[in-house]
């Protein structure tokens, strides 16, 4: 049993702590592989609807693709025919910058070598968050927006990731059975984050390729009417800007229309801006905060921004998200609710010192943008030479790829058949548009920042071969 | 359970005053509009009906021009500051721009910015919960924390269950091992393993930490039990572990039976977002506040009569705030009861390693380990906040025998994951069993000493405490000091202790204790030097009380 081997190992005096850790990792890995079956009788005692619901979406192709990757992951030397993960929006292009920083500032991670700050680190559990961290976070958000919007540290509410931030806002803004309008295609995780525990419904705002998937006033109104017909109370609109999965920013005029719409309907606007620092050129991104500033914060009580360090700083493992609301009641309630999703004080402390180092953040943001652009151009160019077009993007860790000419039939089934052969024959895990509720079949989200350049080259080559093969088949 | 805590970085909040002033103009508007509405509805005249909206429009315009935009002032949206006493605290709730929701919407066009944008029904309940003395007291400490040298007249914290007695040991360990443990724990020697901490990790916790935690739990709860790592889900604190179980085991409108007195935080953890109810099951001083199955049975049947479905029992063992341990026999009969009613048992054992009495702690896990029956209905909540004095690190544990609950909790853990660098750090710390064993022993010794000193201090004043075997509290009977034997009398005494003696203690009514006059004193935030100060402050209050009586 693991516990007995654990106590054995941990009581062995001859081993150093490091050796013990590596042993335990080995043990853990082994354990993960053959998880001992828990022998229990059939449950008779009832569970809640939440526990039994499928709203977590783990069974959708989006997550199924991840499993296929986990079972057979590509490795340049050990498993060159494995599945390449292009379904995970993770940013690893700037890890080296983070590593350099941590190497030079190792004191930050330990809480300052027994410095007086220690007491705070171990005991600090105030849901306001470390003051230094909130300030650093506000400044970082301003920096990313080129100083064009101001953020008040007192309005920053910290959560363990943007996932929790979006859920928490939904808990505050809507009751079970109410609706949020979300433009399609949207991030597949929203079905879980916004709906699962809150009981809130998502009503899609239909966008299509005819205008590059931009939100129109007509589509907004149609979605609103649609919800009303279904007897749902619409409580707000939730957008991602830059959009996930489109990888494009939202234009100023569209943001103005949105703000006007939510004001007219007296509903909320949640702007999820977790990719704002991953826009290739700073000037191409306009935050809803800038629009509010231009309006002298007149309509601001209904606006809430979600941000996170997972994408822009490439630190999803640190679980840092934030809600920035202009509504006092929402700020107060969100803070209380954040008790369920607090960030470890040790992590807050580490990041506070990292983000307050302006020299580091400036260089990081700039370099990261450049590297993402380079990656983007590399993948777009590679796909184009294989005969594949993508939506014109300017942000994010992915591109929105159009494979509709390849579909046997222009339906969701056709799309999933193609997705299936991409996953099992070409061995690429990409996310089908239908998992993002896209109204047109044949679009796919392809992530390019979670893998190395060499792996990306392999992926492009595989696509190239696939297209050439198809071309041959069609000709013959 | 974690809440706002005393923080050395408390922020002065002068803006608070400005903020409470801003909505006055809107309150005026309310007063004017309501009678107008009556006129329109009463007479229904065409002329009035058309004139009044116009008048109203100008009134609005006037008010709009003459009010301060809340954003001009950059209001401090920190928590409201309910100040003097619980009775006046409602006045200090955050008044927010806009009219009350009950106003007629027909008069106020939806275009008007004065109709506040809707927030969910939960918000009101959450804001209201923080008016209770428990939360008010925590806030008071934050605003005016006692410090022997800097602020000797400040509020002394006796209301928040955190343990400062053994922090020196943790500090020592961290100073030696922290940097290393986070960055290259387990990696190749000297090599940074950024991808192991930066990238996405399993949301229910790293397997190596689960293995380490299961070892620590065995160490704390009895070596005989082996905790199986795959039955663990790690969450950001026991608070979210409890909420997650509440979400998994009960639907909105269902209920948990909870023996009283219970920890005030349970209201938040079990009810706030889930819509689940708590049915308090009273325990009495004559039974030493121990759990009685017949009381559980009565509560269950009453709920059934009301049409409320009971889904489980939530116990804390060691009990919080009383400090009782549940003996084997009680645990068995509890399991029998749960089997008979086919409901769950959630056993909160976050103080299992903080016992210091002569009685033996028995985990619910041990009972089902031997029983092999009914495992599916048993779920244990654990955490490192209390037993390892690390509330800041946010590590909570769900240990369940129910596969479906584990599967759901794993998915739910996405909303409440622990940061990876913290997990690495703790894996190393828990694997250093020489350190953890030493910590547990010394910490128990210190808890015992502080408890005894505090107890004898209260004894000098003639205040008796219920004998505690674990946890951070003294559960004291101060009914001799209350003017009327009622909740009102108790809250009056609380008010004096809070505002005159400057002691933040938790009145029993916050813990849903049905007998007035009981108070819980957390002694682990004190140093030994603080005890005479606290006792002296209580003495002064008790003298004034006695003179009244």
């Amino acid at each position: 049993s693991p516990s007995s081997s654990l106590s054995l190992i941990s009581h062995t005096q001859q081993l150093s702590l490091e050796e013990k850790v590596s042993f335990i990792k080995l043990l853990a890995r082994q354990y993960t592989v053959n998880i001992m079956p828990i022998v229990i009788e059939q449950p008779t005692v009832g569970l809640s609807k939440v526990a039994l619901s499928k709203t977590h979406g783990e069974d959708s192709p989006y997550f199924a693709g991840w499993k296929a990757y986990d079972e057979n992951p590509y490795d340049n030397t050990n498993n060159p025919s494995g599945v390449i993960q292009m379904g995970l929006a993770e940013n690893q292009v700037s890890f080296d910058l983070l590593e350099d920083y941590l190497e030079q500032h190792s004191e930050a991670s330990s809480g300052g070598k027994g410095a007086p700050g220690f007491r705070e680190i171990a005991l600090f559990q105030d849901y306001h968050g470390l003051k230094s961290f909130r300030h650093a976070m506000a400044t970082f958000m301003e920096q990313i927006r080129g100083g064009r919007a101001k953020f008040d540290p007192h309005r920053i509410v910290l959560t363990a990731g943007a996932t929790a931030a979006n859920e928490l806002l939904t808990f505050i803004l809507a009751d079970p059975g109410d609706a949020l309008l979300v433009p399609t295609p949207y991030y597949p995780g929203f079905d879980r984050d916004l709906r699962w525990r809150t009981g809130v419904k998502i009503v899609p705002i239909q966008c299509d390729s005819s205008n590059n998937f931009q939100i129109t006033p007509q589509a907004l109104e149609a979605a609103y009417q649609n919800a009303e017909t279904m007897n749902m109370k619409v409580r707000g609109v939730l957008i991602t800007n830059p959009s996930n999965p489109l990888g494009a920013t939202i234009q100023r005029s569209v943001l103005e229309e949105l703000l006007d719409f939510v004001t007219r309907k007296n509903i909320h606007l949640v702007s999820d801006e977790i990719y704002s620092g991953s826009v290739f050129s700073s000037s191409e991104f306009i935050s809803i905060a800038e629009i509010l500033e231009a309006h002298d914060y007149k309509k601001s009580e209904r606006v809430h921004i979600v941000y996170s360090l997972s994408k822009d700083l490439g630190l999803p493992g640190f679980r840092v998200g934030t809600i920035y609301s202009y509504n006092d009641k929402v700020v107060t309630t969100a803070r209380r609710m954040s008790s369920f999703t607090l960030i470890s004080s040790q992590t807050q402390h580490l990041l506070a010192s990292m983000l307050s180092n302006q020299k580091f953040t400036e260089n990081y943001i700039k370099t990261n943008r450049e590297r993402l652009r380079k990656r983007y151009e590399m993948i777009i160019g590679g796909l184009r030479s294989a005969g594949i077009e993508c939506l014109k993007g300017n942000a994010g860790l992915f591109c929105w790829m159009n494979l509709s000419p390849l579909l046997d039939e222009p339906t969701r089934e056709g799309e999933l058949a193609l997705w299936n052969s991409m996953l099992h024959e070409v061995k690429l895990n990409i996310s089908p548009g239908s998992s993002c509720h896209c109204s047109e079949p044949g679009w796919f989200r392809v992530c390019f920042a979670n893998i190395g350049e060499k792996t990306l080259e392999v992926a492009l080559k595989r696509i190239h071969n696939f297209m050439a093969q198809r071309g041959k088949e069609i000709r013959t | 359970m974690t809440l706002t805590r005393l923080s050395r970085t408390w922020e002065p909040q002068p803006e608070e005053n400005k903020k409470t002033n801003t909505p006055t103009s809107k309150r005026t508007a309310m007063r004017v509009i309501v009678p107008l509405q009556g006129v329109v509805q009463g007479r229904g005249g065409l002329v009035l009906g058309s004139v009044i909206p116009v008048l109203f429009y100008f009134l609005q315009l006037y008010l709009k021009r003459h009010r301060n935009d809340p954003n001009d002032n950059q209001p401090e949206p920190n928590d409201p500051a309910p100040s003097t006493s619980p009775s006046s605290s409602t006045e200090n709730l955050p008044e927010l721009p806009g009219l009350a929701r009950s106003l007629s919407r027909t008069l106020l066009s939806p275009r008007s910015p004065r109709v506040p944008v809707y927030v969910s029904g939960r918000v009101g309940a959450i804001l209201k919960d923080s008016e209770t003395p428990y939360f008010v007291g925590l806030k008071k400490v934050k605003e005016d924390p006692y410090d022997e040298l800097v602020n000797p007249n400040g509020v002394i914290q006796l209301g928040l269950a955190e343990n400062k007695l053994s922090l020196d040991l943790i500090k020592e360990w961290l100073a030696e091992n922290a940097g290393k443990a986070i960055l290259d724990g387990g990696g190749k020697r000297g090599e940074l393993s950024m991808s192991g901490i930066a990238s996405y990790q399993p949301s229910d916790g790293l397997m190596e930490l689960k293995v380490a935690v299961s070892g620590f739990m065995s160490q704390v709860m009895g070596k005989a039990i082996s905790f199986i790592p795959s039955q663990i889900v790690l969450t950001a604190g026991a608070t979210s572990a409890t909420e997650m179980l509440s979400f998994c085991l009960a639907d909105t409108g269902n209920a948990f039976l909870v023996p009283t007195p219970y920890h005030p935080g349970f209201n938040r953890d079990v009810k706030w977002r889930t819509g689940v109810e708590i049915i308090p099951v009273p325990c009495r001083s004559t039974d030493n506040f121990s759990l009685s199955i017949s009381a559980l049975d009565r509560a269950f049947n009453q709920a059934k009569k009301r049409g409320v479905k009971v889904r489980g029992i939530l116990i804390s063992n060691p009990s919080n705030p009383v400090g009782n341990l549940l003996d084997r026999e009680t645990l068995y009969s509890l399991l029998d009861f749960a089997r008979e009613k086919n409901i769950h048992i959630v056993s909160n054992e976050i103080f299992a390693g903080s016992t210091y009495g002569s009685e033996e702690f028995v985990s619910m896990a041990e009972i089902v380990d031997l029983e092999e029956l009914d495992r599916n209905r048993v779920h244990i909540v654990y955490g490192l906040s209390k037993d390892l004095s690390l509330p800041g690190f946010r590590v909570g544990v769900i240990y369940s025998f129910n596969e479906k609950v584990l599967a759901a909790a794993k998915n739910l853990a996405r909303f409440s994951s622990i940061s990876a660098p913290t997990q690495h750090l703790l894996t190393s710390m828990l694997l250093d069993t020489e350190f953890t064993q030493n910590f547990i022993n010394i910490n128990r010794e210190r808890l015992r000493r502080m408890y005894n000193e505090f107890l004898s201090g209260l004894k000098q004043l003639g205040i008796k405490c219920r004998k505690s075997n674990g946890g951070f509290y003294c559960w004291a009977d101060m009914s001799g000091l209350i003017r009327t034997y009622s909740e009102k009398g108790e809250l009056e005494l609380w008010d004096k202790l809070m505002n005159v003696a400057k002691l933040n203690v938790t009145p029993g009514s916050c813990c849903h204790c049905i007998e007035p006059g009981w108070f819980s004193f957390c002694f682990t935030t004190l140093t030994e030097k603080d005890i005479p100060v606290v006792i002296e402050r209580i003495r002064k209050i008790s003298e004034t009380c006695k003179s009244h009586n």
Side-chain angles (χ1 to χ4, degrees), chain A residues 30-232:
Chain A
Q30 204 182 11
Y31 207 79
T32 322
V33 179
N34 7 282
I35 289 177
M36 293 186 344
I38 315 168
V39 191
I40 34 173
E41 57 279 26
Q42 208 49 35
T44 48
V45 56
L47 300 182
S48 71
K49 289 180 193 121
V50 166
L52 302 174
S53 129
K54 294 272 175 206
T55 320
H56 52 73
E58 293 287 318
D59 314 326
S60 80
Y62 180 72
F63 293 107
W66 289 11
K67 278 169 205 148
Y69 164 77
D70 284 338
E71 281 158 20
N72 180 22
Y74 169 84
D75 185 284
N76 186 20
T77 42
N78 296 326
N79 190 17
S81 62
V83 176
I84 297 179
Q85 172 64 297
M86 301 183 95
L88 179 63
E90 194 170 86
N91 179 8
Q92 299 190 358
V93 299
S94 304
F95 264 4
D96 55 326
L97 302 181
L98 296 173
E99 280 170 1
D100 287 350
Y101 174 86
L102 286 177
E103 211 160 66
Q104 285 158 22
H105 302 83
S106 58
E107 78 289 346
S109 51
S110 56
K113 294 268 183 245
F118 158 78
R119 229 177 150 75
E120 198 170 45
I121 297 311
L123 287 176
F124 187 86
Q125 52 170 326
D126 182 346
Y127 54 39
H128 289 84
L130 281 183
K131 195 182 170 192
S132 56
F133 182 49
R134 271 186 295 140
H135 278 260
M137 196 74 175
T139 315
F140 188 66
M141 287 169 74
E142 286 173 4
Q143 226 179 331
I144 279 172
R145 285 155 187 78
R148 297 183 300 267
K150 289 269 163 283
F151 291 102
D152 175 0
H154 299 307
R155 289 189 176 278
I156 298 246
V157 178
L158 299 169
T159 59
T163 299
N166 278 316
E167 189 200 38
L168 212 155
L169 268 177
T170 311
F171 268 122
I172 294 175
L173 306 182
D175 292 311
D178 292 349
L180 290 179
L181 309 181
V182 182
T184 61
Y186 63 77
Y187 162 59
F190 281 158
D191 286 329
R192 170 195 67 212
D193 303 350
L194 310 182
R195 294 163 47 205
W196 189 14
R197 294 201 291 192
T198 62
V200 168
K201 310 267 192 259
I202 292 179
V203 174
I205 302 166
Q206 301 292 354
C207 303
D208 58 48
S209 60
S210 64
N211 67 344
N212 294 329
F213 296 97
Q214 293 214 54
I215 307 161
T216 64
Q218 295 76 16
L220 272 171
E221 193 58 45
Y224 192 91
Q225 296 307 333
N226 190 9
E228 291 218 312
T229 330
M230 293 186 283
N231 279 325
M232 294 178 200

Side-chain angles (χ1 to χ4, degrees), chain B residues 411-451:
Chain B
N411 282 328
L412 286 174
R414 283 176 195 278
F415 299 113
S416 176
S417 301
I418 313 164
S419 126
T422 300
Q423 293 195 55
H424 279 264
L425 179 65
L426 288 169
T427 305
S428 298
M429 186 185 275
L430 295 182
L431 287 180
D432 191 347
T433 44
E434 205 182 319
F435 163 76
T436 51
Q437 196 54 58
N438 188 40
F439 178 89
I440 295 168
N441 296 344
I442 295 179
N443 186 45
R444 280 196 164 129
E445 197 42 58
R446 291 180 183 176
L447 283 168
R448 185 179 301 131
R449 201 168 69 213
M450 278 300 274
Y451 171 72

Side-chain angles (χ1 to χ4, degrees), chain B residues 47-274:
Chain B
V47 181
L48 275 177
S50 54
V51 169
I52 286 169
V54 177
L55 283 175
F56 176 63
Y57 173 79
F58 282 113
L59 178 71
Q60 260 199 333
L61 206 69
Y62 172 82
L63 288 172
K64 204 170 170 182
R65 292 236 172 115
H66 288 77
R67 92 180 144 137
N68 300 331
D69 191 313
N71 288 300
D72 293 344
N73 292 340
Q74 283 299 314
E76 171 82 40
N78 272 349
D79 291 352
S83 48
T84 45
S85 73
S87 52
S88 71
S89 63
T90 36
E91 290 170 28
N92 293 303
L93 258 187
E95 278 298 337
L96 290 147
L99 296 169
R101 224 190 293 154
S102 54
L103 269 176
S104 155
R105 297 204 169 215
T106 47
L107 247 183
L108 307 167
S109 120
R111 282 164 194 259
S112 158
R114 297 181 161 279
V115 182
V117 57
Y118 182 85
V119 288
S120 78
R122 297 174 186 98
V123 173
I126 290 173
L127 292 176
K128 200 159 169 264
D129 236 15
S130 41
E131 292 167 40
T132 58
Y134 179 71
F135 288 97
V136 171
L138 293 175
K139 190 163 173 52
K140 287 260 179 174
V141 181
K142 196 179 171 185
E143 286 162 359
D144 181 22
Y146 170 80
D147 185 290
E148 194 193 341
L149 301 171
V150 184
N151 190 18
N153 296 318
V155 181
I156 298 179
Q157 174 69 291
L158 297 149
L160 182 64
E162 62 185 24
N163 180 2
K164 295 184 180 175
L165 303 179
S166 306
L167 278 180
D168 53 329
L169 305 177
I170 302 273
K171 179 178 176 173
E172 226 171 80
W173 190 92
L174 283 178
E176 251 171 65
N177 304 292
K180 244 196 166 96
I182 295 167
L183 290 174
D184 55 12
K188 282 177 208 154
R189 203 171 288 263
E191 189 185 285
L192 280 168
S193 57
M194 196 61 200
S195 58
I197 57 169
S199 39
Y200 279 102
Q201 306 295 333
S203 52
D204 56 321
L206 298 172
M207 186 46 96
E208 54 254 44
L209 181 56
K210 289 186 186 180
V211 173
V213 163
S214 69
F216 185 69
M217 284 170 77
S218 297
Q219 219 175 348
V220 160
M221 299 187 184
K223 298 246 161 43
I225 329 163
S226 86
F227 289 88
I228 300 169
S230 60
Q231 285 176 225
I232 287 181
V233 169
L234 298 173
T235 66
T239 295
S240 50
T242 309
E243 191 200 38
M244 239 176 246
L245 283 174
S246 186
F247 266 117
C248 286
L249 308 180
D251 291 316
T252 306
N254 293 165
F256 279 96
L257 303 178
V258 186
T260 69
Y262 66 75
H263 175 57
F266 279 170
N267 286 336
R268 171 197 59 203
D269 305 349
V270 175
K271 290 160 65 180
W272 270 13
R273 303 203 293 188
T274 60

Side-chain angles (χ1 to χ4, degrees), chain A residues 422-439:
Chain A
M422 287 303 260
L423 183 61
H424 296 293
E425 291 161 32
V426 193
K427 300 274 176 67
L428 297 179
N429 177 36
I430 56 178
S431 311
S434 55
S435 67
C436 305
H437 300 263
C438 185
S439 54

Side-chain angles (χ1 to χ4, degrees), chain A residues 128-341:
Chain A
H128 289 84
L130 281 183
K131 195 182 170 192
S132 56
F133 182 49
R134 271 186 295 140
H135 278 260
M137 196 74 175
T139 315
F140 188 66
M141 287 169 74
E142 286 173 4
Q143 226 179 331
I144 279 172
R145 285 155 187 78
R148 297 183 300 267
K150 289 269 163 283
F151 291 102
D152 175 0
H154 299 307
R155 289 189 176 278
I156 298 246
V157 178
L158 299 169
T159 59
T163 299
N166 278 316
E167 189 200 38
L168 212 155
L169 268 177
T170 311
F171 268 122
I172 294 175
L173 306 182
D175 292 311
D178 292 349
L180 290 179
L181 309 181
V182 182
T184 61
Y186 63 77
Y187 162 59
F190 281 158
D191 286 329
R192 170 195 67 212
D193 303 350
L194 310 182
R195 294 163 47 205
W196 189 14
R197 294 201 291 192
T198 62
V200 168
K201 310 267 192 259
I202 292 179
V203 174
I205 302 166
Q206 301 292 354
C207 303
D208 58 48
S209 60
S210 64
N211 67 344
N212 294 329
F213 296 97
Q214 293 214 54
I215 307 161
T216 64
Q218 295 76 16
L220 272 171
E221 193 58 45
Y224 192 91
Q225 296 307 333
N226 190 9
E228 291 218 312
T229 330
M230 293 186 283
N231 279 325
M232 294 178 200
K233 289 203 176 76
V234 178
R235 297 299 185 196
V237 178
L238 185 141
I239 54 167
T240 54
N241 182 23
S243 158
N244 176 8
L246 297 178
T249 56
I250 300 181
Q251 290 171 10
R252 183 182 292 271
S253 59
V254 176
L255 291 173
E256 293 276 6
E257 279 161 13
L258 271 165
L259 194 58
D260 188 53
F261 176 80
V262 293
T263 310
R264 241 180 318 117
K265 302 290 189 193
N266 195 23
I267 56 177
H268 295 271
L269 177 61
V270 178
S271 181
D272 177 331
E273 304 188 351
I274 60 172
Y275 292 98
S276 49
S278 304
V279 183
F280 310 147
S281 158
S282 155
S283 60
E284 283 184 47
F285 171 69
I286 297 150
S287 166
I288 194 72
E290 293 169 51
I291 307 283
L292 291 177
E293 192 143 296
H295 286 280
D296 232 2
Y297 296 98
K298 286 251 165 55
K299 302 163 183 171
S300 65
E301 61 152 359
R302 64 188 72 254
V303 178
H304 323 280
I305 296 172
V306 168
Y307 189 58
S308 138
L309 298 181
S310 300
K311 309 299 180 183
D312 289 352
L313 215 54
L315 290 176
F318 282 52
R319 309 309 307 139
V320 177
T322 178
I323 293 169
Y324 189 89
S325 173
Y326 297 88
N327 185 316
D328 293 356
K329 206 174 199 167
V330 172
V331 170
T332 309
T333 316
R335 208 160 259 162
R336 303 226 165 112
M337 274 196 195
S338 74
S339 292
F340 301 113
T341 179

Side-chain angles (χ1 to χ4, degrees), chain B residues 246-461:
Chain B
S246 186
F247 266 117
C248 286
L249 308 180
D251 291 316
T252 306
N254 293 165
F256 279 96
L257 303 178
V258 186
T260 69
Y262 66 75
H263 175 57
F266 279 170
N267 286 336
R268 171 197 59 203
D269 305 349
V270 175
K271 290 160 65 180
W272 270 13
R273 303 203 293 188
T274 60
V276 171
E277 300 288 320
I278 283 182
I279 298 175
V281 181
C283 301
R284 291 163 197 282
S285 59
T286 45
D287 306 327
N288 289 324
F289 293 102
S290 58
L291 180 64
S292 103
I293 300 292
S294 56
L296 279 175
D297 201 47
R298 253 195 315 278
F300 185 90
N301 290 330
Q302 275 165 8
K304 205 170 167 185
K305 261 183 219 151
R306 283 194 294 132
V308 174
K309 192 165 191 178
V310 172
R311 293 294 202 142
I313 312 161
L314 170 62
I315 53 163
S316 55
N317 181 26
S319 80
N320 177 7
V322 178
N324 282 341
L325 299 184
L326 301 185
D327 58 27
R328 247 193 199 88
E329 200 183 324
T330 311
L331 293 174
Y332 275 116
S333 36
L334 204 62
L335 198 61
D336 287 341
F337 178 78
R339 183 187 304 128
E340 188 196 315
K341 307 293 184 195
N342 195 19
I343 56 178
H344 295 268
I345 297 176
V346 177
S347 178
N348 182 309
E349 304 184 356
I350 57 172
F351 288 103
S354 305
T355 51
Y356 43 78
S358 48
E359 288 172 34
E360 176 208 18
F361 169 80
V362 184
S363 168
M364 199 68 197
E366 192 179 326
I367 302 294
V368 285
D369 216 33
L370 300 170
E371 187 82 335
E372 295 259 343
L373 273 171
D374 287 304
R375 292 179 162 196
N376 272 345
R377 63 180 84 252
V378 172
H379 321 276
I380 289 161
V381 171
Y382 189 60
L384 302 181
S385 300
K386 309 298 182 192
D387 285 353
L388 213 56
S389 310
L390 287 175
F393 283 44
R394 314 304 310 140
V395 178
V397 178
I398 292 175
Y399 187 75
S400 174
F401 296 87
N402 189 313
E403 260 179 344
K404 286 189 178 169
V405 169
L406 285 170
K410 268 176 198 174
N411 282 328
L412 286 174
R414 283 176 195 278
F415 299 113
S416 176
S417 301
I418 313 164
S419 126
T422 300
Q423 293 195 55
H424 279 264
L425 179 65
L426 288 169
T427 305
S428 298
M429 186 185 275
L430 295 182
L431 287 180
D432 191 347
T433 44
E434 205 182 319
F435 163 76
T436 51
Q437 196 54 58
N438 188 40
F439 178 89
I440 295 168
N441 296 344
I442 295 179
N443 186 45
R444 280 196 164 129
E445 197 42 58
R446 291 180 183 176
L447 283 168
R448 185 179 301 131
R449 201 168 69 213
M450 278 300 274
Y451 171 72
N452 286 333
E453 288 215 8
F454 200 84
L455 207 66
S456 65
L458 288 176
K459 209 172 171 186
Q460 286 165 24
L461 306 178

